[in-house]
DNA sequence: TGTCAAGAAACTTTATAGAATTTTTTCACT
DNA sequence: AGTGAAAAAATTCTATAAAGTTTCTTGACA
């Protein structure tokens, strides 16, 4: 998935995949912002491909829940409220706990100890270590969650968790400015402690405790993000009341006013 | 979404939606069977539309998990193993329990009592009442689960549950002959008892008990379906080892042998 | 004359169709 | 089995039709 001058360089039959990845990255990195209207033609020109694979990629993204598809009216990057994030996190909590309980006793002790050591090394933050600190903290976070999902013995569950992680990350990055998020290392240090509690329970082979530690961890995260979240977000997206459309939930949404999409 | 002779009758901009619905119905009803290869051109001709909306509909179905998308090699109706069904049910269990706990205390008592009465009327089956019995049992089942999901206060969770229900239903109907499934009224009577336990806990306002009753209900269902399930299902789908593809989990699957898709 | 609303026209964007291209599969032949 | 052409199917592109949006015009009314 490398873009080369005008055309997206990829094998025949992988173009849609490459476009999905490219758009996801742009959403994650904030180049595409919440409420933004995505015009197929523009994207096609920008990526040096025709509209067909762009449209198909957008359908996929709508399926994931990254964008809203408004029939006959195009696609907008989803705008989310604090409630949306909480709702997603609640689902994530239920599934992460389930996965944690399942994974208990199925992970190599050596690997758990390794992660525990890495976590302990994150307890102290110095200003000098900050740049690498953030990177390291995120890496360990990913490693632990992925390990648990992969070790749950349930590939379907692992995939659902992966999807939720992606959604959560997208919305988090859409909603907050990156700098603000990245610099909050206090939360990262807290997370290290929460993670360690999970790992220790896993090492002890106590599935119940591990599940509870995971629940605590996610609840703490929700609390943090909710606090940081702006109270309300006005709708740049105002669907026509007559048009059928799909929100993040796939359910129909009735618009309040007849207003056009922001271009 | 009415098909009229050759062309799918629907408004401009809703064609993909109509095709998705149509294909879902065919999968549910068993006209499209597990492992079957779906050729865009054939579907296009059959529905009297061009390949474009067909392809788009198939992308959507792949997102839902009803079909597998094999890049450059087409689309096949997913074939599932007993393990797949168990995996899905495990996720469903976690989420249904969460929803049940949340919904506790948020549902009108009158409605719960109404459902309880309907359930109690399902305890006794006579041969004469069998035809309507099955219909009634399914209706109450849907009503209760939908009510709980809708009352959870979490639209995202409700939507996830809906997706899982659809998946489960699709795979169940794909895998078993319909007659066999429909005629097992003993299981339906058992379900009525399990459902009643949930409703009674909800009436009592005991979220914990309601969650546990729901867990029991789903576990019982899994046990039943697993018993009825054929032990293994060989793969009619055999991907080439070099080709990237998405299984139900979106994860890459490596094929064992270099073999072509069954046509 | 100025303002506002309704409607027409121009323009933009989306949705679908059909053709061109690339890849995969089939099948005859060695 | 291995090879290579032919056929089939998937992917992508281009073009056109349909819908949505904006701008402009017209005319009623203060």
């Amino acid at each position: 998935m490398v873009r080369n001058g005008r055309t997206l360089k990829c094998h025949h039959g992988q173009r849609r995949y490459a476009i999905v990845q490219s758009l996801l990255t742009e959403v994650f990195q904030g180049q595409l912002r919440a409420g933004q209207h995505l015009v197929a033609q523009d994207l096609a020109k920008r990526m040096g491909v025709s509209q067909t694979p762009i449209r198909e990629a957008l359908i996929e993204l709508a399926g994931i829940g990254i964008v809203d598809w408004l029939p006959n009216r195009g696609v907008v990057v989803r705008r989310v409220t604090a409630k949306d994030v909480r709702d997603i996190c609640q689902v994530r909590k239920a599934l992460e706990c389930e996965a944690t309980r399942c994974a208990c006793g199925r992970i190599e002790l050596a690997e758990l100890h390794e992660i525990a050591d890495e976590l302990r090394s994150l307890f102290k933050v110095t200003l000098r270590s900050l740049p690498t600190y953030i990177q390291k903290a995120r890496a360990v976070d990913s490693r632990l969650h992925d390990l648990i999902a992969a070790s749950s013995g349930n590939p379907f569950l692992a995939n659902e968790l992966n999807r939720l992680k992606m959604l959560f990350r997208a919305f988090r990055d859409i909603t907050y400015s990156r700098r603000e998020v990245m610099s909050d290392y206090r939360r990262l240090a807290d997370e290290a402690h929460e993670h360690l509690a999970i790992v220790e329970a896993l090492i002890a082979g106590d599935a119940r405790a591990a599940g509870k530690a995971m629940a605590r961890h996610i609840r703490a995260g929700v609390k943090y993000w909710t606090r940081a979240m702006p109270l309300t977000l006005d709708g740049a997206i105002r669907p026509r009341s007559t048009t059928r459309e799909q929100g993040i939930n796939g359910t129909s949404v009735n618009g309040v006013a007849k207003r056009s999409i922001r271009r």
Side-chain angles (χ1 to χ4, degrees), chain A residues 220-240:
Chain A
V222 173
K223 214 179 222 168
Y224 170 80
W225 288 112
T226 304
R227 245 205 315 270
M229 191 95 175
L231 280 179
T232 26
L233 296 164
D234 86 311
I237 313 153
R238 274 299 152 72
R240 294 171 39 129

Side-chain angles (χ1 to χ4, degrees), chain A residues 23-37:
Chain A
L23 289 176
L24 269 179
T25 305
E26 293 192 26
V27 168
F28 289 157
Q29 297 185 345
Q31 285 134 299
L32 296 178
R33 303 274 294 278
Q36 189 167 341
H37 185 215

